[in-house]
Amino acid sequence: MSQNRDLHAAKRNKKDEFYTQLTDIQSELSHYTDHFRGRVVYCNCDDPRVSSFFKYFSLNFEFLGLKKLITTCYKSQDRDGFSQHDSRRAIYLEYEGDKNGNRYPDPHEIAVKHLNGNGDFRSEECIEMLKQSDIVCTNPPFSLFREYVSQLMEHDKKFLIIGRTTAIDYKEMFPLIKDGLVWLGHGPGSRDMLFDVPDAYARDMVKTKKEGSSYRLVGGVVKGRLGNAVWFTNLDHSKRHRPLILDKTYRPDQYSKYDNYDAINVDAVRDIPEDYRGVMGVPSSFLDKFCPEQFEIVGQMATTRVTESNFGYPYINGKKKYARILIRHKEATHEN
């Protein structure tokens, strides 16, 4: 499928039009300040005229000690595209910090330039900007998430991006998590996040959707709601090295074994036994508490498709169970 066809499909997916709120960005990025000093940050899926990512990084440019901020987005011919503004040509913004001493990103300090192409993050000119950057931070189109992450890994970039929790099970994504190349951000996993949305879509949601599930009214303003949003990153943070406190002990009568894999089933993260040294199947919510010094990720049991790291859905006494991530205590690997 061509890039244009992919992007048109993404534009039809309304969730790709969600714009991250500044409060959510501030809450998460406050845990990574040491990573940004002297770095070039690239937000390559952000209309710089409305992007809260651009606002956050430009307002905190000196505090974070950034070297440069670059922001690009896919051009929009209508208000239902990636941009909330009509734009016949795709633009990009560069900001290299305060010039007049007021520690504020004034318009004359921000270089606004036109792109030759359409601003697709996969285009040659956007890839050249990617190569010049150190850290990528944005809310990429969910329908292009696989391709987006693959590009970041191909170019060996540090990143902090928003995705759906369902992305954990992608065949392109889970091996990265298993091998310790990608992990969840500092904020709570599978969180309820609100997003700014275009006016036309906001009106459509009020007419056709249920308040509380698809959207919420905040001060009379319609906010799109996504209940399974999560931050993905390869930037280290303190929470990642905080071990789980375990108070359960293993009893064979309380932990069933799978029919199709040599592991015990654990229905809740709080029920992980501290003394079991074999493989355990735990809910995906475990990743929000995963400490790599405490546990090893062995694989997952999440689909009917068996791969090197995915062993098919778990069964107990012939009954299919919920998807599970397979883990074991780290010291168990040293004992073997």
Side-chain angles (χ1 to χ4, degrees):
M1 182 179 287
S2 70
Q3 288 186 5
N4 283 339
R5 288 176 61 192
D6 281 345
L7 284 164
H8 289 321
K11 288 167 67 176
R12 287 194 297 269
N13 183 341
K14 294 298 185 180
K15 288 186 173 61
D16 283 339
E17 299 175 24
F18 286 12
Y19 287 80
T20 315
Q21 293 192 117
L22 183 60
T23 52
D24 288 318
I25 295 172
Q26 291 172 325
S27 177
E28 181 67 24
L29 269 69
S30 65
H31 301 285
Y32 305 86
T33 53
D34 291 343
H35 290 286
F36 290 103
R37 188 158 301 279
R39 304 300 184 188
V40 176
V41 171
Y42 186 27
C43 305
N44 59 351
C45 294
D46 294 80
D47 185 333
R49 294 158 291 196
V50 296
S51 168
S52 292
F53 281 102
F54 178 79
K55 185 175 183 180
Y56 173 83
F57 283 116
S58 60
L59 290 175
N60 291 279
F61 193 95
E62 281 72 30
F63 171 74
L64 294 172
L66 296 182
K67 181 179 180 180
K68 182 191 283 190
L69 171 63
I70 308 173
T71 312
T72 64
C73 71
Y74 184 73
K75 74 172 182 178
S76 175
Q77 298 301 328
D78 54 64
R79 294 181 65 86
D80 287 327
F82 288 129
S83 168
Q84 290 186 355
H85 295 256
D86 290 343
S87 179
R88 293 185 179 181
R89 295 185 63 187
I91 65 169
Y92 70 99
L93 266 59
E94 289 184 326
Y95 180 58
E96 298 186 65
D98 178 51
K99 300 294 189 299
N100 60 11
N102 68 352
R103 301 181 69 83
Y104 187 85
D106 296 305
H108 67 274
E109 297 170 333
I110 302 172
V112 182
K113 303 177 182 179
H114 285 102
L115 291 166
N116 295 320
N118 58 15
D120 179 350
F121 67 85
R122 300 162 297 181
S123 65
E124 289 187 11
E125 58 185 338
C126 287
I127 290 176
E128 284 303 310
M129 293 184 195
L130 177 67
K131 291 178 180 178
Q132 299 169 27
S133 69
D134 300 301
I135 302 174
V136 177
C137 193
T138 190
N139 175 15
F142 292 156
S143 62
L144 299 175
F145 193 82
R146 291 177 173 88
E147 192 166 357
Y148 187 83
V149 172
S150 295
Q151 184 189 81
L152 294 177
M153 300 306 296
E154 177 186 351
H155 292 279
D156 194 25
K157 293 301 173 181
K158 296 296 184 181
F159 59 87
L160 181 61
I161 60 177
I162 297 174
R164 293 177 174 142
T165 54
T166 51
I168 291 170
D169 294 331
Y170 291 169
K171 62 183 177 63
E172 301 89 352
M173 192 70 175
F174 184 79
L176 300 176
I177 295 173
K178 174 182 176 294
D179 294 340
L181 300 176
V182 177
W183 45 87
L184 299 195
H186 190 282
S190 193
R191 65 186 302 182
D192 186 25
M193 291 182 69
L194 300 180
F195 295 81
D196 296 321
V197 296
D199 294 339
Y201 183 39
R203 290 192 294 269
D204 181 65
M205 282 198 298
V206 172
K207 290 180 181 179
T208 62
K209 306 294 183 181
K210 183 178 180 181
E211 183 179 357
S213 59
S214 297
Y215 73 93
R216 288 182 182 172
L217 287 173
V218 180
V221 178
V222 176
K223 301 287 185 180
R225 174 188 175 273
L226 187 63
N228 63 345
V230 65
W231 292 88
F232 291 97
T233 188
N234 56 2
L235 296 172
D236 207 9
H237 55 79
S238 60
K239 178 183 173 182
R240 185 169 173 255
H241 303 285
R242 193 181 304 157
L244 268 172
I245 297 175
L246 305 172
D247 59 5
K248 295 291 193 300
T249 56
Y250 174 68
R251 289 178 53 182
D253 61 320
Q254 293 183 349
Y255 295 90
S256 301
K257 283 204 168 188
Y258 299 122
D259 301 343
N260 53 333
Y261 194 86
D262 185 15
I264 63 170
N265 179 65
V266 181
D267 284 323
V269 174
R270 64 178 179 273
D271 293 330
I272 296 174
E274 57 87 19
D275 59 341
Y276 188 77
R277 293 301 175 260
V279 179
M280 301 170 282
V282 297
S284 60
S285 57
F286 164 81
L287 291 178
D288 188 42
K289 307 289 194 301
F290 173 49
C291 170
E293 291 81 21
Q294 185 180 22
F295 292 102
E296 172 196 10
I297 297 177
V298 177
Q300 67 176 163
M301 302 182 78
T303 69
T304 55
R305 181 184 61 252
V306 177
T307 65
E308 185 177 347
S309 60
N310 193 326
F311 308 111
Y313 275 114
Y315 284 82
I316 296 177
N317 297 325
K319 293 184 178 180
K320 181 180 174 182
K321 306 295 290 184
Y322 289 113
R324 288 288 185 263
I325 292 176
L326 299 171
I327 65 168
R328 61 183 165 193
H329 285 278
K330 202 63 175 280
E331 59 264 33
T333 63
H334 301 309
E335 294 169 1
N336 294 337

